[in-house]
Amino acid sequence: MSDEAGSPGIHEAARRDKLRKITELGHDPWGGRFDDHQSIGSIRARENEITSEDPAPGNEKHGPVLHGPKVRAAGRIVLQRDTGKLIFANIRDWSGTIQIFIGKSQVGDDNWALCKCFDLGDLVGVDGELKRTKTGELTIFAEKLTFLTKSVVPHPEKYHGLADAELRQRMRYLDLIYGEGVLDRFLARTKIVQSIRNTLGGEGFVEIEGPTLHSIAGGAAARPFKTHHNALDMPLFMRIALELHLKRLLVGGMERVYELGRVYRNEGISPRHNPEFTMLEVYQAYGDYRSMMDLTEKLIVGAIRAGKKPGDDSLVLPWGEDKTIDFTPPFQRATYDELFEKHAGVRADDEAGIRALAEKIGFETAGKDPDVIKSEVFEEKVEDALVGPIFVMDYPASICPLTKRKTSNPRVAERFELFVHGMEVANAYTELNDPYLQEELFSGQLAGQKEEDSMAKMDHDFVRALKHGMPPAGGLGIGIDRLVMLLTNAQTIRDVILFPLLRHETV
C-alpha cells in the first residue's frame, strides 16, 4: 500500500513533513467548513453549459476558446500527475470523479505552493471554471484551492483498489474509495431499504422497534449469543428473530406492523451467512401466506425500480457473469412436494425411499423424524436447482411450529419460502394463532433440545398473549442482505455488509 519505494514509516514521515509545510503556509491541514460546493455528479451534468468562440486573430492554432460555468467542488485525490509546471489530478466524491487542472499562473504562488503538498488520499476543495481539455476531458480549471484534510498514511498505489478480499472488508473505508462499484453498491442498498419502507408505508404498515435483548431466544431455530444483565442478575440473549414480539403487537391491535432490524445468530460464516444480519419481518392481521406472496412481489419490484434510471422499466437483472434473474411478477409458484419429486427423484410420501436416499447422500437417519430427513434431502437435492424467483409452498407441518396447518390436510403447513438461484430470500406463514396447539408444538420442539440451543425454554408469555386472541394473520420475513446481494449482483454477503465479522487482525 505504498505509493513510492521504501517502508510505510518513511512514507508517513514524508507526509508529516508536508503537513508541517501546509501549516507554515497558513492553512489548516485538517480543514473546516466548505460551504456552497456542488456534488461532482451535478457539476458533470453542467457540461452542456460550456460554450466556445473563435480564437483571436493570430491564435488560430490554439483552437476555439472555451467558456464554462464557475463551479466549486470538494473531493479526495485519487489520481495525480505532476509535470513540473502543471498538475492534473482526479478528485472523487460520492457522486462521481472529475479531473482538475492546476497551473501556477492560474492559481498564484500561494496556491501553487499548497498544491505541491498534495498526496493521493488528501481531501481538497477547488474553485474554478468547468471546461474541456484539448483531448475533450471534462475538467475544472482551478483558480483557487482549499486544503480540507491531509491523509498522513499512503493510499493504495493501484487506482483499482485493494486486491485482497479480507483486507477490503477490514479496511472498508479504502474499499469504498478505490473499489470499483463498491460505493455504488452500498448506496444502492440504502435505496433498497428506503424503498421497502416506502412500499410498506403505502400499504398501511407501521414500523416499530422491538427489543434486541431477549430473556428467551425464540422465533427461530438458531443458537443465540448470550450475555448477562448485572443489575437484574439475569441471563439475556441477543435476538435471533423478530417474530414473537411483533405477534404480541397483533394481539394488542396493531394490525399491520413490521420491524427492519439486526438479528444475531451464533453460527457459521459463509458467502451467504454472517452472524449479525438485517431482517425484515412483517405481520398483517386478517391475511395469510398468499397475502404475503403478493406483498413480497411488491416489495422486490419496488426495490428494483427505486434503483433504476427514469425510463428503464426492465425487471431482468444480471446474476454472476452469465446469468440473469427475471423478477417480472407474478413469480413462479410450486409446492414443496412437487419440487421434491422433480429434483430428488423420489415420491414425496415414500418414507423408505427418502430414508434410503438420505443414507446414500451420507446423512444420519437413525431416530430422526421422517419430515426432518425429508427436509435435509430437500436442502441437498432441491434448493440449488431452484432458479426462480419461485415460491416454494406448503411445507411439512412438523418442521413449522409457528405455522397454521391446512384445514384440508393438517400434515401440511401454510408456509412458503422464496428461492432465487438456490438462495432462500424470504420465508412466510399463515400464522398459527391457536394457543393450545402452539403450546403443544413448543413442547414437542423443546423435547430433547440441548440447553444451549435456541428456544430451550417455553415462552409462556407468548402463549399467554395468544390466549387473549391474536387475529388470523400472514407473516413474512426477508433477509435484507441476501436481497441486496441479488439486486446488486454481489456473490458474497460480505460484499453487501459494510462491516462483516472478521477474525482478529494479526499484527
Side-chain angles (χ1 to χ4, degrees):
M1 285 178 51
S2 61
D3 55 0
E4 51 189 298
S7 71
I10 295 174
H11 294 159
E12 185 169 344
R15 288 177 178 239
R16 287 173 69 97
D17 186 55
K18 290 182 179 179
L19 189 73
R20 178 182 54 78
K21 290 179 181 177
I22 292 168
T23 303
E24 291 174 351
L25 289 168
H27 300 275
D28 182 353
W30 309 116
R33 184 166 173 168
F34 192 65
D35 289 337
D36 301 325
H37 67 279
Q38 304 104 51
S39 71
I40 289 173
S42 65
I43 289 173
R44 296 191 69 90
R46 301 184 67 183
E47 183 176 8
N48 60 356
E49 297 180 34
I50 299 172
T51 60
S52 64
E53 64 180 34
D54 292 334
N59 289 323
E60 289 83 355
K61 65 178 181 179
H62 297 295
V65 177
L66 298 180
H67 300 282
K70 298 290 186 179
V71 296
R72 169 174 258 213
R76 188 180 299 274
I77 299 172
V78 294
L79 193 66
Q80 185 172 235
R81 181 165 57 92
D82 188 340
T83 67
K85 296 182 179 180
L86 302 173
I87 293 176
F88 291 90
N90 283 10
I91 62 169
R92 178 183 296 165
D93 70 5
W94 67 348
S95 69
T97 304
I98 196 166
Q99 180 172 268
I100 60 174
F101 166 89
I102 307 169
K104 184 176 182 180
S105 60
Q106 287 81 14
V107 299
D109 292 341
D110 180 71
N111 279 302
W112 185 251
L114 179 64
C115 72
K116 287 295 185 176
C117 297
F118 287 177
D119 284 303
L120 288 179
D122 290 352
L123 292 162
V124 299
V126 57
D127 292 88
E129 186 177 2
L130 182 67
K131 297 191 288 187
R132 285 186 293 271
T133 62
K134 291 180 180 179
T135 59
E137 184 168 356
L138 194 64
T139 301
I140 300 174
F141 284 71
E143 297 168 0
K144 180 184 177 183
L145 299 166
T146 303
F147 206 87
L148 296 175
T149 299
K150 186 66 183 171
S151 174
V152 294
V153 294
H155 281 232
E157 64 178 0
K158 297 292 185 181
Y159 184 75
H160 300 294
L162 306 172
D164 182 81
E166 183 171 328
L167 193 60
R168 286 177 45 232
Q169 294 152 15
R170 194 177 298 281
M171 304 177 72
R172 183 66 85 190
Y173 40 90
L174 291 181
D175 193 32
L176 289 166
I177 298 169
Y178 297 102
E180 185 176 357
V182 175
L183 178 59
D184 290 340
R185 184 185 305 120
F186 283 105
L187 292 177
R189 178 181 175 125
T190 67
K191 291 181 181 179
I192 290 167
V193 171
Q194 186 59 54
S195 168
I196 288 170
R197 287 192 164 102
N198 291 343
T199 299
L200 289 170
E203 295 291 324
F205 289 86
V206 295
E207 183 175 8
I208 66 94
E209 294 176 310
T212 57
L213 292 173
H214 290 183
S215 59
I216 296 173
R223 181 162 293 185
F225 288 95
K226 298 179 181 179
T227 186
H228 187 86
H229 191 283
N230 292 332
L232 296 178
D233 190 23
M234 62 184 289
L236 292 172
F237 305 92
M238 299 296 290
R239 65 184 179 188
I240 59 172
L242 314 175
E243 181 165 349
L244 300 186
H245 286 87
L246 287 165
K247 286 183 176 179
R248 286 173 167 90
L249 298 180
L250 287 179
V251 175
M254 299 183 74
E255 296 184 357
R256 295 193 174 205
V257 62
Y258 76 95
E259 183 170 6
L260 204 163
R262 297 295 237 187
V263 295
Y264 310 87
R265 298 183 181 179
N266 195 356
E267 298 176 343
I269 296 174
S270 77
R272 296 182 181 180
H273 297 88
N274 191 67
E276 176 185 7
F277 60 97
T278 303
M279 176 67 71
L280 167 72
E281 290 203 25
V282 185
Y283 292 87
Q284 178 181 333
Y286 314 115
D288 65 4
Y289 74 142
R290 293 182 182 274
S291 308
M292 295 299 100
M293 287 186 202
D294 297 337
L295 181 61
T296 301
E297 290 176 348
K298 288 179 182 177
L299 289 168
I300 292 176
V301 169
I304 294 171
R305 287 183 171 152
K308 291 282 189 177
K309 295 179 180 179
D312 183 359
D313 296 324
S314 174
L315 296 175
V316 179
L317 301 181
W319 180 244
E321 295 182 357
D322 56 359
K323 298 183 179 69
T324 59
I325 310 169
D326 187 350
F327 283 105
T328 303
F331 300 166
Q332 182 184 354
R333 303 181 183 191
T335 69
Y336 182 96
D337 283 355
E338 288 170 347
L339 294 167
F340 188 92
E341 293 181 4
K342 178 180 179 180
H343 296 290
V346 181
R347 283 182 55 85
D349 58 358
D350 181 1
E351 290 185 9
I354 294 171
R355 186 178 297 273
L357 177 57
E359 291 172 350
K360 183 179 178 181
I361 293 170
F363 293 141
E364 177 62 48
T365 62
K368 284 186 178 179
D369 182 278
D371 285 340
V372 173
I373 298 171
K374 185 177 179 181
S375 176
E376 291 175 345
V377 173
F378 188 93
E379 291 177 7
E380 180 71 20
K381 288 290 188 179
V382 182
E383 291 183 0
D384 285 345
L386 302 177
V387 175
I390 179 171
F391 290 118
V392 180
M393 306 164 53
D394 301 343
Y395 279 65
S398 65
I399 62 172
C400 306
L402 296 164
T403 312
K404 183 169 283 189
R405 278 75 179 118
K406 278 188 171 297
T407 305
S408 59
N409 184 0
R411 289 177 55 84
V412 176
E414 292 192 349
R415 171 189 179 186
F416 77 74
E417 290 187 338
L418 175 65
F419 282 88
V420 183
H421 282 290
M423 183 161 58
E424 177 208 335
V425 182
N427 185 18
Y429 308 150
T430 299
E431 299 298 335
L432 181 60
N433 61 343
D434 178 340
Y436 301 109
L437 179 56
Q438 182 67 88
E439 190 168 28
E440 177 187 329
L441 293 172
F442 273 169
S443 296
Q445 185 183 49
L446 298 179
Q449 287 246 19
K450 297 178 181 179
E451 179 66 23
E452 66 267 21
D453 285 341
S454 68
M455 300 175 74
K457 295 181 180 179
M458 174 72 74
D459 191 337
H460 293 288
D461 179 70
F462 176 66
V463 175
R464 179 172 61 186
L466 291 185
K467 288 181 177 179
H468 285 83
M470 188 184 89
L476 166 67
I478 295 179
I480 296 299
D481 308 294
R482 289 185 176 185
L483 178 62
V484 174
M485 284 176 64
L486 290 167
L487 301 192
T488 62
N489 196 13
Q491 299 303 301
T492 170
I493 200 168
R494 293 185 173 201
D495 283 345
V496 298
I497 297 176
L498 279 167
F499 302 105
L501 185 64
L502 300 169
R503 294 182 186 276
H504 284 303
E505 186 173 11
T506 56
V507 180

